[in-house]
């Protein structure tokens, strides 16, 4: 699938900007969109885990709305105050939802709460897709998005509705400069039993099926949400059975939580570049054979967009890479 | 997997938030784990050791009140780092705080400055093992067990430069080996060292509680000294101390305690991997300060009762003057005097081994902070990429560890064989490190204005006296840091203002300022713009 009609002449630098795991942060999403201009990138890649984790209801009162932010009850007395608070909640990577007073009890019913959550996520993602189409328009910027392990699989349809951004998991994507990119947003099983998890065997099969469609894997980009196992990109704090971090006198105990299947696919095909996310607290780069694998990490909770600027050149492959915090 | 799993939501009406089942939602670290994590960065035995030096440097100063006042004063700086961690939970240390607030250049220079001095501190702790920790241990054991061999060993370690370098180098190599193994193994070893080092605190508290001044005077006599004779000899020699409390000198002695309690902030460098859902991780630094302060203060109170502050000052004075009235054969120090209170050889052995571990425990922690900084600089391309390469098996940054090891070994050799000027640089370290703290305080003051969106959406977005909380705490911290800076720069007794030390401060600060632009130019030639590393993207 080609993304752009027009290509620049061969031998030119192709600059990719990759960010991932923004978890519903409106601030990070908008920064990612603006990154094309600020960083002079020709390709914008948004890795998986786009949806947020927390819902903040705004419940109607006789004189406006009430919500709770940072443990404090806040009141919006007019439209201006309401918009300001809703914007603040979105920037924090949380979903805002307006409820009538009589709807508030619904939040205590799991099924209703799930429905409200679903709707908030879907509406937010649809807004983002519209923003991509509006902001990128006919600019010469390739855009891809995909879901991660934390995202409801049904949301792929929302992302596919974009007229500009390609849904990266649908097959190899041709990038400016003649490079190809395959993408898999699933992860191996996590303690949280998230919706898009696969066993190592299933994940290996999925990656291999995608890689088999590539013209030349050695000139491809592997956009695999889960980082390679036992790399510097997959180190996370060990959790006990109750999901508490395990600590020791000298600090939190770190373990590798990446995927063996991802590592094996990189070792076998040796693509130019591996783009990963999933483990927010393990940003870094690592060379696996000839492949440079990168996880920019995520600070979405602070509204800071962590990302990687990657320059590809036909002769040199990955010319430079740099992790940035915007 | 059923799609509904994506939104298996749970309500938390008490907080007004509703979270769905998704990765990363972890429970809080247990309060005990958090306390251990943070207290391990404040060495109580060393805080005790340093505080008992106060009556010597500032006659009439009370180690108890020095501890209490310093802990009180340090609340503001610790709160500053806690608030920064609350705004940027995973960012870790002054490098990111300052880079994000002011400029990456300022952030790097600030961080480089403190790390360069930390490496000197690593070498100094390694050096102290032989002439201080082990020499005291051997002499104490020798006297208690009537073993001339142990006593001779103690005397040898107190004097012999070869042994001092050999033991210090062995400690550094051991620490580097620890850092080169897996994090899990490193933490296991660190845990043993940490709890072992606390034994001397517990034993000291018990011995001091059950021994009064009379018992100690007898013990002094048993070790060949004379309690009253030592007090008289010190006064005759020019020591101006007395048994009366001197508030002015107590205040002047505060920088001694700051050397321990002012560093209750270092977990912001190393303990930030875990984002604490209830922000207890941020409060843990405050608790570490309180617990360490209370324990140290209790020991100082007991020491004042049993030893007498005048004796601590007089004995240290006689020791430094090499007066024959100081007949103990081991350097003057709190734990040495504690070991005189018991005739049980096993207790003396355990106590002194624990004190040795108290010197060792600081090494891996400081090593970790410095290697992480090197790693971060490399990660941001200020240093070559190779510095952040990790061992594929252990995940440890071998090159960064090797750099810290080599530089600390060079420092160690200079401390042992160089001029006494070099040894005095350690005292200057406190002064130099305050430069970094001052910049962090300034960053705290301006952060709410320069990073409005980040501060506005944070949990600490509150105002006091019409000013943002972080700004107020930053102003208070700046006042504290400037007080300590002026104290260290003007009080000759603290030894921080030697001309050699001041020259070193200027040289290291100059290097810190120059590295970034040089790296910027080199990287630009390679097509990497360092200026992008922290450039703010518009969120509109």
């Amino acid at each position: 699938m080609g993304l752009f009609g027009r290509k620049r002449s061969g031998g030119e630098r192709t600059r990719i900007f990759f960010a991932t795991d923004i978890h519903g942060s409106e601030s990070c999403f908008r920064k990612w969109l603006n990154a094309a201009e600020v960083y002079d990138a020709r390709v914008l890649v948004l890795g998986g885990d786009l949806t947020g984790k927390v819902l903040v209801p705004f419940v109607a009162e006789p004189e406006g709305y009430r919500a709770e932010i940072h443990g404090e009850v806040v009141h919006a007395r007019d439209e201006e105050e309401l918009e300001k608070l809703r914007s603040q909640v979105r920037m924090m990577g949380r979903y805002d939802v307006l409820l009538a007073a009589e709807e508030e009890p619904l939040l205590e019913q799991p099924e209703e709460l799930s429905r409200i959550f679903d709707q908030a996520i879907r509406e937010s993602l649809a807004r983002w897709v519209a923003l991509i189409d509006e902001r990128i328009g006919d600019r010469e910027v390739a855009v891809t998005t995909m879901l991660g392990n934390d995202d409801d699989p049904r949301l792929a349809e929302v992302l596919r509705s974009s007229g500009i951004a390609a849904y990266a998991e649908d097959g190899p994507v041709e990038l400016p400069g003649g490079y190809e990119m395959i993408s898999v947003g699933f992860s191996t099983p996590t303690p949280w039993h998230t919706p898009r998890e696969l066993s190592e065997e299933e994940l290996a099969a999925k990656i291999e099926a995608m890689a088999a469609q590539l013209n030349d894997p050695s000139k491809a980009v592997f956009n695999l949400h889960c980082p390679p196992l036992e790399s510097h990109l997959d180190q996370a704090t060990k959790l006990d059975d109750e999901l508490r971090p395990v600590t020791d006198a000298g600090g939190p105990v770190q373990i590798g939580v990446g995927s063996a299947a991802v590592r094996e696919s990189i070792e076998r095909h040796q693509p130019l570049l591996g783009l990963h996310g999933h483990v927010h607290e393990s940003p870094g780069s690592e060379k696996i054979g000839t492949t440079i694998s990168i996880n920019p990490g995520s600070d979405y909770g602070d509204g800071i967009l962590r990302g990687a600027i990657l320059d590809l050149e036909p002769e040199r492959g990955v010319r430079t890479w740099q992790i940035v915090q915007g | 997997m059923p799609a509904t799993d994506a939104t298996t939501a749970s309500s938390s009406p008490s907080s007004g938030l509703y979270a769905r089942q998704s990765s990363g939602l972890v429970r809080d670290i247990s309060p005990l784990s958090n306390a251990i994590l943070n207290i391990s960065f404040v060495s109580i035995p060393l805080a005790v050791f340093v505080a008992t030096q106060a009556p010597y440097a500032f006659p009439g100063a009370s180690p108890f009140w020095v501890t209490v006042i310093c802990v009180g004063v340090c609340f503001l700086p610790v709160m500053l780092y806690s608030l920064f961690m609350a705004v940027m939970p995973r960012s870790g240390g002054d490098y990111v705080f300052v880079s994000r607030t002011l400029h990456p250049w300022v952030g790097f220079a600030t961080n480089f400055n403190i790390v360069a001095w930390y490496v000197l501190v690593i070498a100094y702790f390694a050096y102290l093992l032989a002439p201080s920790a082990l020499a005291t241990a051997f002499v104490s054991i020798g006297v208690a067990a009537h073993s001339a061999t142990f006593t001779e060993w103690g005397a040898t370690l107190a004097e012999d430069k070869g042994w001092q370098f050999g033991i210090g180098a062995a400690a550094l190599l051991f620490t580097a080996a620890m850092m080169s193994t897996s994090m899990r193994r490193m933490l296991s070893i660190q845990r043993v060292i940490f709890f072992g080092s606390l034994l001397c605190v517990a034993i000291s508290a018990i011995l001091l509680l059950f021994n009064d001044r009379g018992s100690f005077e007898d013990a002094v006599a048993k070790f060949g000294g004379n309690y009253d004779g030592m007090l008289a000899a010190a006064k005759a020699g020019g020591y101006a101390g007395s048994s009366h409390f001197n508030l002015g000198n107590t205040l002047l002695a505060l920088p001694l305690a700051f050397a321990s309690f002012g560093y209750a902030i270092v977990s912001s460098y190393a303990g930030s991997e875990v984002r604490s859902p209830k922000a207890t991780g941020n409060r843990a630094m405050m608790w570490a300060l309180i617990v360490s302060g209370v324990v140290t203060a209790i020991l100082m109170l007991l020491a004042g009762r049993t030893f007498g502050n005048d004796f601590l000052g007089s004995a240290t004075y006689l020791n430094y003057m090499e007066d024959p009235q100081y007949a103990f054969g081991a350097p003057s120090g709190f734990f040495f005097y504690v070991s005189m209170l018991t005739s049980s050889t096993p207790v003396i052995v355990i106590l002194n081994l624990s004190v040795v571990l108290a010197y060792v425990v600081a090494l891996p922690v400081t090593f970790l902070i410095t290697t992480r900084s090197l790693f971060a600089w490399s990660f941001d391309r200020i240093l070559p990429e190779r510095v952040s390469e990790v061992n594929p098996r252990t995940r440890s940054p071998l090159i960064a560890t090797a750099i810290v090891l080599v530089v600390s070994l060079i420092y160690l050799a200079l401390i042992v064989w160089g001029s006494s000027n070099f040894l005095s640089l350690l005292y200057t370290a406190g002064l130099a490190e305050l430069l970094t703290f001052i910049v962090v305080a300034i960053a705290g003051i301006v952060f709410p204005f320069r990073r409005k969106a980040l501060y506005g959406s944070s949990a600490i977005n509150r105002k006091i006296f019409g000013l943002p909380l972080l700004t107020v705490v930053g102003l208070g911290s700046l006042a504290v840091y400037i007080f300590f800076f002026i104290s260290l720069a003007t009080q000759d007794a603290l030894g921080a203002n030697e001309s050699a030390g001041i020259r070193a401060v200027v040289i290291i600060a100059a290097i810190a300022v120059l590295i970034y632009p040089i790296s910027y130019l080199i990287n630009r030639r390679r097509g990497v713009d360092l200026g992008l590393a922290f450039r703010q993207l518009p969120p509109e």
Side-chain angles (χ1 to χ4, degrees), chain B residues 50-64 66 239-242 249 253 256 300 308-314 316-317:
Chain B
V50 172
T52 49
Q53 301 290 306
Y56 159 69
F58 297 95
S62 157
F64 170 76
V66 166
Y239 173 64
S242 76
N249 276 359
L256 290 171
M300 291 303 93
N309 294 336
D310 194 20
F311 175 83
L312 290 171
S314 298
T316 307
Y317 175 84

Side-chain angles (χ1 to χ4, degrees), chain A residues 250-252 254, chain B residues 111 183 186 269-273 367-377 397 400:
Chain A
Q254 302 289 301
Chain B
N111 191 230
M183 189 66 151
M186 193 278 271
Y269 296 87
S272 56
E273 279 85 352
F367 229 90
L368 195 65
I369 292 169
T370 51
T371 51
R372 278 173 197 237
S373 292
L374 286 173
F375 198 83
W377 302 338

